[in-house]
Amino acid sequence: MWIEQLRAVDFTVAYEVRAAGAAPGSPAAVTATTQLAAFDIETQRLRRLSGPEREYLAQWLEA
C-alpha cells in the first residue's frame, strides 16, 4: 500500500494484492486504488487535512 495522490481534503491509497505464497517480486493478482476524504461529522462537510495529517500521509507517497 502507498499514497498515490495527496490533496487538500482527500488522498488516494493504491495497493496490490498477490496470491498467497507468491514469490517476492511476483506480479500482482489485483491492483486497485481507493480515494478517501477528510469529513467533519458534526458539520457534515469535507474538511482540509491538517498539517500533521498531511505529514503522516506523505511518508507513503509514491516517489
Side-chain angles (χ1 to χ4, degrees):
M1 293 177 68
W2 63 93
I3 301 297
E4 192 170 75
Q5 186 175 33
L6 181 58
R7 300 187 315 176
V9 299
D10 65 345
F11 57 99
T12 304
V13 179
Y15 42 97
E16 297 178 345
V17 179
R18 290 181 170 64
S26 63
V30 175
T31 59
T33 60
T34 301
Q35 185 177 12
L36 300 165
F39 189 77
D40 185 323
I41 293 173
E42 289 182 18
T43 63
Q44 294 291 296
R45 298 177 63 103
L46 293 174
R47 66 168 182 81
R48 291 188 173 273
L49 293 166
S50 69
E53 289 169 332
R54 290 182 60 78
E55 287 175 24
Y56 180 77
L57 292 167
Q59 295 177 72
W60 291 282
L61 269 171
E62 183 180 43

